[in-house]
Amino acid sequence: MRYEGAVYRPPSEAYSLIIQVTLGCSHNKCTFCSMFKDKKFKIRTIEDIFEDLEMSRQHYKYVRRIFLADGDALILKTQDLEKILIKIKELFPECERVSMYGTPGDILRKSEEDLIKLKNLGLKIIYLGVESGSDEVLQDINKGVTSEEMIEAGKKIMRTGIKLSVTLISSLGGKEKWKQHAVESARVISEINPDYLGLLTLMVEPNTEIYDKIRNGEVTLLSPKEVMIETREFIKNLEVDNCVFRSNHASNYAPLAANLNEDKERLLEELDSIIEGNYGFKNESYRRL
Ligand code: SF4
C-alpha cells in the first residue's frame, strides 16, 4: 500500500490495516487540529484503493481489522463504499470489522437505509469527534456543526446498529468556558448514549489557530488539576447506559477507565482522590497526541 502524508487512526485501531480512501479532511478548519493541515482534501479513485487492498493481501497473511482513513472516509458516495466493502470481503474473508471516521455532515447526508447497507457489508464502527457539547465552544473551535446536529448524527448511527465511538476533548473551552464545556458535553453524550466514549486532553500544536488564541489571551489553558475538576463535572452530569469510557490516551494527565453508568460512583471517587492530590499527573513532556 502507498501512504500519502501523515496517517492518523484512533488508538483502538493500532493493529488494523490502514487504507487511505481519502487524503486529508474535507472540513480541515477545526482550530485545535493540525492533523491534515499539509494535505489538500481528495477522494482517491476506486482503482487506487483496490490496488492498495490487493497489495496488502499479498503482504499480510491475516488481517482481522481494517481502518479506512483519512479524516472522514464516510464522505464517499454510498455506492463507492459498498464497492470497497465488497472488495474487502472478497480479498480478506477473515476480516472481522471495518471502521472509519465520519463527520456529523457525512452521517446526516446518508440515509439510515444506506448506513444499514454498509453495516451489513462489514462497516462495524464509526468514530465521531464530538469534541464538545457546548454550542459556544463548538463555534469557537470552528467545528462547523451545532450540538443538535451532533446529537442527531450520533443517534442516527446508534439506530443503525453500527457501533459508535465518540471523542471529547477536555480543556477545549479553556478556563473561560470549562463549566459549560463539561455540563453541555454531558448533555450531548447522554442524549447520544454511544457505545464508546473517549476523553482526550487538549494538546496545543504551534500550527493551529487555538495556539494563537492562547498566546493572545483569548483562551486560558486549564492546569492538570483543573482538567480533573472539569472531568468530574462532566462525569457527574453524565447519564448513559452500557458505555465504555476511556480517558487513558497519551494526551491525558491521569488514566481513567470505567463502564458507565455502572461504575460512575467509583469513577467520581477516583477523580476526587486525584483532585485531592493523591496521585501525580503525567509530566507535560510525556503527553502526546
Ligand atoms: S478535528 Fe476532525 S473534522 Fe476537525 S479538522 Fe481535524 S480531522 Fe477535520
Side-chain angles (χ1 to χ4, degrees), residues 24-37 70-72 101-104 129 131 141-143 169:
C25 161
S26 63
H27 179 58
N28 215 9
K29 290 186 189 130
C30 297
T31 60
F32 62 90
C33 177
S34 62
M35 293 200 290
F36 302 115
K37 290 284 183 261
D70 278 337
D72 52 350
Y101 286 122
T103 65
E131 332 299 6
I141 62 167
N142 212 0
K143 190 71 190 169
I169 303 179

Side-chain angles (χ1 to χ4, degrees), residues 183-198:
V183 173
E184 291 297 292
S185 295
R187 173 184 67 84
V188 167
I189 301 301
S190 301
E191 284 216 41
I192 297 176
N193 201 5
D195 300 286
Y196 303 97
L197 166 63

Side-chain angles (χ1 to χ4, degrees), residues 11 131 167-171 198-203 227 230-231 246-252 287 289:
E131 332 299 6
T167 46
L168 291 171
I169 303 179
S170 53
S171 196
L199 178 65
L200 312 181
T201 301
L202 179 65
M203 297 282 305
V227 168
E230 181 188 86
T231 302
R246 293 289 179 267
S247 186
N248 51 9
H249 183 253
S251 66
N252 295 121
R287 292 176 65 229
L289 265 179

Side-chain angles (χ1 to χ4, degrees), residues 174-184 230 233 236:
K175 289 193 198 225
E176 295 76 9
K177 295 182 183 170
W178 76 269
K179 190 131 188 185
Q180 71 187 76
H181 178 47
V183 173
E184 291 297 292
E230 181 188 86
E233 186 70 17
K236 188 186 87 182

Side-chain angles (χ1 to χ4, degrees), residues 8 30-35 37 202-216 221 284 287 289:
Y8 295 90
C30 297
T31 60
F32 62 90
C33 177
S34 62
M35 293 200 290
K37 290 284 183 261
L202 179 65
M203 297 282 305
V204 183
E205 302 288 301
N207 56 341
T208 56
E209 272 179 65
I210 206 161
Y211 176 85
D212 299 330
K213 286 189 178 190
I214 291 166
R215 275 179 70 103
N216 69 27
L221 276 182
E284 198 63 48
R287 292 176 65 229
L289 265 179

Side-chain angles (χ1 to χ4, degrees), residues 64-79:
R64 198 159 73 90
R65 293 175 174 181
I66 296 181
F67 178 70
L68 300 179
D70 278 337
D72 52 350
L74 197 65
I75 199 171
L76 265 70
K77 286 186 194 140
T78 302
Q79 62 196 59

